[in-house]
Amino acid sequence: MSAETIQSRREWLLSDRPASRLQARLGRAYVAWRRFSANRLALVGMLIIIALVLVAALADVLAPYSATVGDLKNARLLPPSAAHWFGTDDLGRDIYSRIVYGARWTLYVVILVAIIAAPIGLLVGTVAGYAGGWTDTILMRITDIFLAFPKLVLALAFVAALGPGIENAVLAIAITSWPPYARIARAETLTVRNSDYIKAVQLMGASPFRIVLRHIMPLCISSLIIRVTLDMAGIILTAAGLGFLGLGAQPPLPEWGAMIASGRRFILDQWWVAAAPGAAILIVSLGFNLLGDGLRDALDPRSGDQ
Amino acid sequence: MTAAVAIEGLEVVFDRFRALKGVSLEVREGESYGLVGESGSGKSTLLRAITGLAPVASGTIIVNGKTLGKTRDKAFYRDVQMVFQDPYGSLHPRQTVDRLLQEPLAIHGIADGEKRIERALDEVGLGKGFRFRYAHQLSGGQRQRVAIARALILEPSILLLDEPTSALDASVQAEVLNLLEEVRRRHKLTFLMVSHDLAIITHMCERLMVMQNGEAVETLTASQLIGHRVSEDYTRNLLRASEGFVRTA
Amino acid sequence: MNGDTLLEVDDLRVTFPTRTGIVQAVRGVSFSLGRERLGIVGESGSGKSQTGRAIMGLTPPQAEVSAKKLAFNGIDLLSISPRQRRSLRGNRIAMILQDPKYSLDPVMTIGRQIVETLRTHEKVSRAEARERALAMLQAVQIRDPARVFDLYPHEVSGGMGQRAMIAMMLITGPELMIADEPTSALDVTVQLDVLKILDKLVAERGMGLIFISHDLRLVSSFCDRVVVMYAGKVVEQIKASELRDAQHPYTRGLLNCMPRIGFERHPLPVLDRKPEWAA
């Protein structure tokens, strides 16, 4: 592509007078992208997350060994080498392969929690904020009850009640992580609820349902996306914590938290068993945090409309 | 001649604060009626009470022969629309002009949307080039034109105007006032317009009511005001103030 | 011009770097001010407020201010140290902003703010400062100064707050006052009261006043001279009394486009902006 066509495409995107819905939307996305990409660390964060997704998708190709079946006879607790990049664990399984497959479980947990918790929080928060009165009081007191317990303890209680396993861990984390989202969505709703543009829609005869769904929720979504992204690291750590305590993923699933738990026994002599999944958790958490910070710059409604 | 809006003994109370203390007025069909007053006079509250945005404590409001209850039905909003004061606050920041104009049509299930949107934009002097812009890509005057287009798209018979030009520069104000006069003539609209500026009200309205502290001070015709034939001191004060600073030395 | 020159502005420029490039808010503004009332008029984006802020030294740090000359009483404002600039500000040059709500400290009583202002610039005892603050509140025609002295800004009306602001700004006896839309947030009747007070104090003390406003008619009834700005430039300087004979089409357009009681014009004449005005 020549420099001129790039230039003209940029002008098309940044046009003050878009000629179609598509151009208006793409233009807006492009402006957000420019703000996002001006932040180098955010780009690093995004690259980490893209890498995580690629590793999860291509695990079958990338992993040289099975994640669940090891070579007990010849390959127990081997240090890192050319054959086993990150060494092997106590059951003779290749740690590199387990981490590659573990990326799938990490993504699975993160995505499921996000798509369960964020919509619940968004719905509760916007409805409470817009309706006010008794609805608000009841919904927010329920939220307060959830917020009054430490997250991990509450998740522990839920898992204990539901039974251990990664699905239940996801459910427990989701149930404990929506209240902060509800608070954010409510706060955001309160600031826009009395604005003239919401009144203008009321004066067209729109139903409260329509106002919340089509006019208020879109305004809350960007701060929610930012918060959820920043929380991803916490979700991964909670999942790892549950795995570590034996309440999350069950053996032989290659979940990173559970891998650290099983490596704990040899942490002094065979450090690599716990260090490799630990580093993986660290890098991915860092990636989500950097990405979240970048999204805050790009999507923040307070700075985003000028 | 029937009354487009008839208000009798209207009281509005916010948390024990009486914002309107028994105000009555009658706006004839096709008339342009002004409400003048300073901040706290209750002039905007009166508009909001008509639209249902302010809580009516007592009194009656009759619009086009129908007495309004606690809630307003959809049909009411096809008859009565409002233009807000602040053009920066009255357009949704994440919606294009197209989306903004589509919304009232979608709510009322009106089919010929494409045509209506194009016509409404042409009518307020914006044209197709503005259809897919976001609010932040428009100037104050252009935003107010979009707000007027949005109010007109449902083809109401009554337009409530809450200081529609007070946030605009003088030259833009003139353009918007001219536009409002033009659409009023074309659609035979009834205007109920609020302003703190006597000059704007006498320019736009045939009759007006001066308000202070939630009460009506007096009702005048524009020509009475122009001829300084007023009976209340407060109105006289306002008139004097509108002539600018006079050095007394 | 009446008497000595208080302020000289020659080719003042203010530029802001933004994401989309450099924005020139003020593009070569020149005027001089004696002990008189000068109005700067323009619409939003004309650079009138940025001109006032640049003189005051309140331009945001990312912006760049340059001028061939920006001198107050012979002191070159652009070459003195930030400390010297600060001591000038509030002491010899004062500024009133549009909304007293934002320029008064919400957690300090009005009286204390006035006393603090005085004591940062002058060595006076607490008791004397209090006396002078009360006298100043009296001078801005606050009926019960002792009561208002102990009130917080949110406890007074807009007009009262703006008077308190004027009192605070005048207590140090400045020689130059810059008023940026000082009455735009006030009701029309209150507006005139505040202007009367400002007018009297400026006349009594022989101060120079720069009155920045969008309202050409108000400014012309209040000031001796008017500078009309458009797109960062001065398009016309004219005596207020001769405004009716203004030459520039922009000035004439601004005067004409406002509705006036007793002058029926339908439709109102609108401004036909010519690109060469901004050139």
Side-chain angles (χ1 to χ4, degrees):
Chain A
M1 217 183 318
S2 74
E4 272 156 52
T5 49
I6 293 176
Q7 182 61 28
S8 73
R9 278 189 194 181
R10 183 170 303 148
E11 266 162 29
W12 183 80
L13 283 168
L14 291 177
S15 164
D16 263 351
R17 39 192 83 221
S20 68
R21 232 156 281 176
L22 180 72
Q23 189 184 357
R25 255 189 230 142
L26 288 178
R28 199 177 178 102
Y30 180 64
V31 170
W33 164 249
R34 288 225 304 193
R35 263 201 297 261
F36 178 81
S37 57
N39 182 343
R40 292 278 166 78
L41 281 175
L43 284 179
V44 171
M46 197 181 70
L47 285 180
I48 292 175
I49 305 309
I50 290 176
L52 174 74
V53 173
L54 286 179
V55 166
L58 304 174
D60 293 327
V61 184
L62 290 173
Y65 301 92
S66 159
T68 46
V69 184
D71 182 356
L72 262 177
K73 205 156 78 188
N74 305 316
R76 255 191 104 237
L77 293 171
L78 292 179
S81 65
H84 301 283
W85 290 356
F86 297 161
T88 58
D89 67 4
D90 54 330
L91 296 174
R93 296 174 295 199
D94 178 47
I95 295 178
Y96 168 68
S97 305
R98 279 178 70 74
I99 286 186
V100 166
Y101 278 104
R104 286 187 175 174
W105 292 105
T106 303
L107 264 186
Y108 172 84
V109 169
V110 158
I111 291 173
L112 265 186
V113 169
I115 60 175
I116 298 172
I120 298 178
L122 184 63
L123 190 71
V124 170
T126 48
V127 168
Y130 186 72
W134 277 107
T135 319
D136 184 27
T137 312
I138 293 169
L139 286 175
M140 289 332 280
R141 290 305 80 79
I142 294 174
T143 312
D144 284 342
I145 292 170
F146 275 92
L147 279 172
F149 292 97
K151 217 168 162 182
L152 190 62
V153 173
L154 196 60
L156 271 177
F158 275 113
V159 177
L162 297 166
I166 198 154
E167 292 84 4
N168 289 342
V170 165
L171 258 181
I173 297 170
I175 289 170
T176 54
S177 49
W178 66 266
Y181 306 148
R183 290 224 153 251
I184 292 173
R186 177 173 175 270
E188 203 86 0
T189 306
L190 288 181
T191 59
V192 301
R193 171 174 98 162
N194 287 322
S195 62
D196 282 351
Y197 54 84
I198 297 299
K199 286 197 186 120
V201 191
Q202 286 174 344
L203 292 193
M204 287 163 201
S207 63
F209 176 73
R210 188 184 180 96
I211 293 174
V212 168
L213 197 70
R214 302 200 47 159
H215 297 272
I216 291 183
M217 278 192 183
L219 288 169
C220 301
I221 277 178
S222 47
S223 36
L224 217 61
I225 288 177
I226 294 161
R227 181 59 196 257
V228 169
T229 314
L230 289 172
D231 275 0
M232 292 283 188
I235 293 169
I236 293 173
L237 293 177
T238 313
L242 288 175
F244 181 82
L245 293 169
L247 294 169
Q250 295 302 304
L253 271 192
E255 198 271 330
W256 295 347
M259 285 166 72
I260 299 179
S262 63
R264 184 182 45 141
R265 279 173 287 149
F266 336 102
I267 201 155
L268 293 179
D269 301 317
Q270 285 87 22
W271 52 269
W272 58 88
V273 181
I281 292 174
L282 176 83
I283 291 170
V284 172
S285 303
L286 184 71
F288 274 116
N289 269 332
L290 294 177
L291 180 69
D293 270 340
L295 286 177
R296 175 155 43 207
D297 295 341
L299 298 178
D300 190 348
R302 273 162 290 277
S303 66
D305 292 312
Q306 288 307 312
Chain B
M1 200 71 148
T2 49
V5 181
I7 292 175
E8 192 58 50
L10 185 65
E11 294 245 357
V12 171
V13 182
F14 296 107
D15 296 326
R16 282 200 226 130
F17 171 69
R18 286 172 76 203
L20 276 182
K21 306 166 186 169
V23 175
S24 306
L25 65 84
E26 196 182 285
V27 184
R28 294 180 206 123
E29 206 170 278
E31 183 182 33
S32 176
Y33 194 97
L35 296 172
V36 191
E38 299 185 304
S39 52
S41 64
K43 54 190 194 304
S44 294
T45 307
L46 196 142
L47 289 196
R48 275 153 207 265
I50 296 173
T51 58
L53 289 175
V56 175
S58 68
T60 54
I61 306 173
I62 301 170
V63 172
N64 287 340
K66 268 177 276 175
T67 307
L68 300 181
K70 274 243 177 294
T71 53
R72 312 275 180 274
D73 55 8
K74 265 191 181 180
F76 170 81
Y77 295 115
R78 288 191 77 154
D79 262 352
V80 182
Q81 276 296 316
M82 178 151 160
V83 177
F84 291 86
Q85 170 177 12
D86 178 14
Y88 294 89
S90 68
L91 304 185
H92 197 287
R94 296 281 164 114
Q95 293 177 355
T96 57
V97 172
D98 178 60
R99 207 23 239 289
L100 284 165
L101 296 180
Q102 213 133 56
E103 193 64 12
L105 300 174
I107 290 167
H108 291 270
I110 294 166
D112 59 337
E114 285 294 305
K115 243 191 277 161
R116 279 216 195 190
I117 290 174
E118 283 183 13
R119 202 168 55 211
L121 282 175
D122 277 339
E123 179 151 37
V124 296
L126 287 178
K128 283 194 207 95
F130 287 83
R131 187 163 165 191
F132 297 104
R133 294 203 202 178
Y134 288 96
H136 66 92
Q137 293 169 318
L138 304 172
S139 69
Q142 289 165 347
R143 286 177 198 223
Q144 208 59 319
R145 283 170 192 268
V146 171
I148 293 170
R150 174 175 61 184
L152 290 178
I153 206 159
L154 288 175
E155 298 176 351
S157 64
I158 299 170
L159 206 53
L160 308 177
L161 303 161
D162 188 1
E163 304 250 17
T165 59
S166 68
L168 303 176
D169 279 325
S171 60
V172 183
Q173 164 172 291
E175 293 168 14
V176 171
L177 291 180
N178 288 344
L179 170 67
L180 285 171
E181 283 200 307
E182 199 186 304
V183 297
R184 179 174 160 229
R185 204 176 320 119
R186 194 173 316 140
H187 297 279
K188 302 191 170 53
L189 295 173
T190 306
F191 275 4
L192 184 51
M193 181 170 183
V194 158
S195 177
H196 66 280
D197 189 332
L198 273 182
I200 290 177
I201 291 291
T202 48
H203 177 78
M204 294 291 292
C205 304
E206 289 108 46
R207 287 198 304 150
L208 60 126
M209 183 161 90
V210 182
M211 295 182 69
Q212 188 188 17
N213 297 331
E215 284 170 296
V217 175
E218 65 179 320
T219 307
L220 298 162
T221 63
S223 48
Q224 277 174 324
L225 193 87
I226 291 166
H228 288 229
R229 292 193 301 278
V230 302
S231 43
E232 297 292 326
D233 282 342
Y234 181 70
T235 315
R236 228 166 265 136
N237 270 338
L238 281 183
L239 258 176
R240 200 172 312 128
S242 70
E243 276 155 17
F245 183 75
V246 182
R247 193 158 281 124
T248 47
Chain C
M1 225 170 290
N2 9 354
D4 50 344
T5 306
L6 201 56
L7 180 76
E8 245 182 293
V9 181
D10 187 11
D11 198 24
L12 176 71
R13 289 167 189 277
V14 181
T15 51
F16 286 89
T18 67
R19 227 189 303 270
T20 48
I22 285 172
V23 171
Q24 298 184 304
V26 181
R27 307 183 297 154
V29 164
S30 309
F31 61 87
S32 65
L33 175 82
R35 299 192 180 276
E36 60 178 333
R37 292 168 292 238
L38 175 75
I40 300 183
V41 181
E43 297 188 300
S44 48
S46 62
K48 58 184 192 301
S49 287
Q50 287 306 333
T51 303
R53 280 162 190 270
I55 296 167
M56 197 66 192
L58 291 177
T59 310
Q62 75 273 17
E64 200 180 305
V65 179
S66 71
K68 282 196 191 117
K69 192 168 187 185
L70 183 61
F72 168 72
N73 263 338
I75 306 167
D76 182 3
L77 291 176
L78 292 181
S79 63
I80 58 175
S81 71
R83 230 184 105 242
Q84 286 169 305
R85 194 90 194 253
R86 262 202 307 280
S87 82
L88 271 183
R89 188 158 67 217
N91 192 10
R92 298 179 66 190
I93 310 179
M95 187 165 195
I96 310 177
L97 296 170
Q98 179 171 1
D99 199 332
K101 269 196 215 89
Y102 300 118
S103 25
L104 291 171
D105 185 340
V107 296
M108 222 194 257
T109 63
I110 286 170
R112 225 184 110 207
Q113 289 186 51
I114 301 176
V115 168
E116 294 282 314
T117 312
L118 181 57
R119 282 167 60 92
T120 43
H121 293 290
E122 266 179 69
K123 276 192 184 140
V124 290
S125 72
R126 224 158 249 290
E128 194 198 331
R130 189 186 154 86
E131 275 313 302
R132 279 178 59 185
L134 283 173
M136 199 65 233
L137 285 174
Q138 188 116 45
V140 293
Q141 293 174 21
I142 287 176
R143 256 174 248 126
D144 190 355
R147 190 179 68 89
V148 175
F149 190 91
D150 290 320
L151 293 180
Y152 286 92
H154 69 267
E155 296 174 307
V156 300
S157 66
M160 184 85 88
Q162 201 57 302
R163 288 182 211 194
M165 188 73 204
I166 293 174
M168 187 164 110
M169 286 301 146
L170 288 178
I171 188 103
T172 54
E175 294 152 71
L176 171 62
M177 165 85 98
I178 300 172
D180 189 355
E181 305 265 9
T183 59
S184 306
L186 306 177
D187 279 329
V188 272
T189 49
V190 184
Q191 186 173 4
L192 291 189
D193 289 340
V194 171
L195 284 183
K196 246 176 235 161
I197 293 162
L198 195 61
D199 183 50
K200 183 162 160 272
L201 292 172
V202 167
E204 274 173 10
R205 292 159 187 244
M207 288 162 50
L209 173 74
I210 297 180
F211 188 109
I212 300 169
S213 175
H214 67 283
D215 190 335
L216 182 53
R217 213 176 297 150
L218 183 74
V219 167
S220 63
S221 66
F222 186 79
C223 295
D224 308 312
R225 226 151 42 91
V226 181
V227 170
V228 183
M229 284 185 72
Y230 181 79
K233 290 195 158 184
V234 175
V235 294
E236 187 156 18
Q237 291 202 41
I238 191 167
K239 272 194 183 153
S241 54
E242 292 163 8
L243 200 64
R244 237 165 282 142
D245 312 316
Q247 292 305 307
H248 198 280
Y250 178 66
T251 316
R252 299 169 69 97
L254 266 191
L255 269 178
N256 273 331
C257 67
M258 284 200 269
R260 287 179 71 179
I261 298 174
F263 296 83
E264 288 297 295
R265 290 161 306 164
H266 296 270
L268 287 166
V270 294
L271 212 62
D272 184 17
R273 290 159 200 277
K274 299 259 174 10
E276 63 261 27
W277 297 352

